[in-house]
């Protein structure tokens, strides 16, 4: 039966792992690659059952990077507990892993709700699972993923949400995320997807007063005016910043006029 076949693969994967660990010295090593025949059998069962990825979850660490990326939409669509198991299996595999932690985070952002028929809620939950594993996704891994994605066109829909999550999980990234805001301002983020622009504004507000140089020097008047309309409490501290002798000469005249309340 289907359940028996699935359980057989799980048991064989566990036995393979246990034997590998029993032969090691000292602390048990990470799981080694599963036998090729076992992977082939699981792939055959997956195909025979209409692409049921549950057969492949115990063996994800033994698949190629391209295969794991191809499976990710279906893995994300699984119940949360199944996705957690899939993620843990990927992270537990012995180097070379199919995907590094930063590559996993990037690949999750590539899952598209419309194209892949996966709810946005499940994608958000799956990305959030990464932040529940700080040992596997340290600040360096988060920064590597964000640095790669900030150059994407179009920007991943959940990018700004992940920037905020990353800074919350790893406060050491505060200056790094400020650099991301500057990069996106230079890419004219206000012309991107409305949700991206909304996320950028919220992230910039969270970063005040550190983000004041970006807001005053990198945003044209129209987007800055929109931001001030959304967060009017920022006008006075921004005005004070722009009027400070140390920076006043570097503030564009149109921005200074806007902050002063005059006609631009």
């Amino acid at each position: 039966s289907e359940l028996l076949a699935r359980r057989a693969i799980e048991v064989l994967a566990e036995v393979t792992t246990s034997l590998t660990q029993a032969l090691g010295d000292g602390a048990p090593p990470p799981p080694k690659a599963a036998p090729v025949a076992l992977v082939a059998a699981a792939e055959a069962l997956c195909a025979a059952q209409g692409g049921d990825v549950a057969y492949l979850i115990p063996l994800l660490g033994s698949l190629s990077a391209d295969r794991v990326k191809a499976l990710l939409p279906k893995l994300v669509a699984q119940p949360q507990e199944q996705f957690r198991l899939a993620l843990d299996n990927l992270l537990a595999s012995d180097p070379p892993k199919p995907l590094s932690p930063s590559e996993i985070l990037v690949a999750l952002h590539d899952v598209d709700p419309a194209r892949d028929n996966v709810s946005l809620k499940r994608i958000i939950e799956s990305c959030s699972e990464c932040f529940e594993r700080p040992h596997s996704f340290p600040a360096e891994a988060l920064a590597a993923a964000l640095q790669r994605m900030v150059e994407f066109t179009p920007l991943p829909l959940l990018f700004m949400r992940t920037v905020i999550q990353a800074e919350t999980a790893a406060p050491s990234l505060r200056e790094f995320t400020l650099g991301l805001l500057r990069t996106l301002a230079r890419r004219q983020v206000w012309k991107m997807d409305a949700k991206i622009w909304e996320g950028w504004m919220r992230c910039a507000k969270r970063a005040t007063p550190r983000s004041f140089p970006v807001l005053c020097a990198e945003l044209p008047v129209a987007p800055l005016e929109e931001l001030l309309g959304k967060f009017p409490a920022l006008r006075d501290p921004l005005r004070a910043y722009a009027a400070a002798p140390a920076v006043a000469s570097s503030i564009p005249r149109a921005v200074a006029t806007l902050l002063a309340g005059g006609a631009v």
Side-chain angles (χ1 to χ4, degrees):
S1 72
E2 178 186 344
L3 288 176
L4 283 174
R6 184 181 302 180
R7 183 57 189 150
I9 288 175
E10 291 174 351
V11 170
L12 284 171
E14 290 167 4
V15 168
T16 300
T17 298
S18 298
L19 287 173
T20 300
Q21 292 176 349
L23 293 174
D25 295 323
K32 302 289 183 181
V36 174
L38 179 57
V39 175
E43 288 278 15
L45 279 168
C46 174
Q49 296 297 328
D52 186 351
V53 294
Y55 293 103
L56 296 174
I57 287 176
L59 305 172
L60 286 174
S62 300
L63 305 182
S64 70
D66 287 344
R67 182 60 175 142
V68 171
K69 287 179 182 179
L71 290 171
L72 262 185
K74 289 187 176 182
L75 292 171
V76 169
Q78 295 290 300
Q80 189 73 348
E81 197 58 41
Q82 283 292 92
F83 178 79
R84 289 189 187 117
L85 181 58
L87 182 59
D88 288 339
N89 285 343
L90 276 175
L91 294 171
S93 57
D94 194 34
K97 302 174 186 290
L99 298 173
S100 68
S102 64
E103 289 171 331
I104 291 173
L105 192 55
V106 171
L108 286 173
H109 282 75
D110 190 48
V111 179
D112 182 86
R115 181 193 66 210
D116 299 316
N117 194 30
V118 181
S119 73
L120 184 61
K121 179 176 182 288
R122 286 295 303 118
I123 301 173
I124 290 172
E125 290 171 345
S126 298
C127 290
S128 295
E129 283 295 330
C130 299
F131 292 97
E132 296 296 322
R133 294 159 174 75
H135 292 298
S136 296
F137 292 89
E140 296 78 8
L142 300 177
L146 292 170
Q147 187 62 56
R148 183 175 174 190
M149 289 190 284
V150 75
E151 303 295 342
F152 284 4
T153 301
L155 208 65
L157 185 60
L158 297 178
F159 181 78
M160 294 311 309
R161 189 179 196 281
T162 299
V163 170
I164 293 172
Q165 281 184 293
E167 186 176 293
T168 302
S172 62
L173 293 179
R174 291 173 64 192
E175 290 306 311
F176 172 78
T177 56
L178 193 61
L180 296 177
L181 291 178
R182 183 175 286 105
T183 296
L184 290 174
R186 292 172 179 173
R187 291 190 62 192
Q188 301 184 322
V189 63
W190 56 90
K191 294 182 179 179
M192 296 182 184
D193 182 276
K195 289 186 176 64
I196 296 291
W197 171 227
E198 168 81 15
W200 190 96
M201 288 192 288
R202 291 189 177 279
C203 193
K205 178 180 180 293
R206 280 171 51 94
T208 57
R210 294 178 297 111
S211 61
F212 284 174
V214 177
L215 297 178
C216 289
E218 304 291 351
L219 288 187
V221 168
L224 179 58
E225 190 169 23
E226 182 181 348
L227 183 144
L228 292 174
K230 188 171 187 64
F231 305 115
L234 289 182
R235 185 180 292 271
D236 286 345
L238 262 181
R239 181 190 297 122
Y241 167 80
V247 299
S249 62
S250 66
I251 304 298
R253 180 174 299 177
V255 169
T257 301
L258 170 67
L259 294 175
V264 178

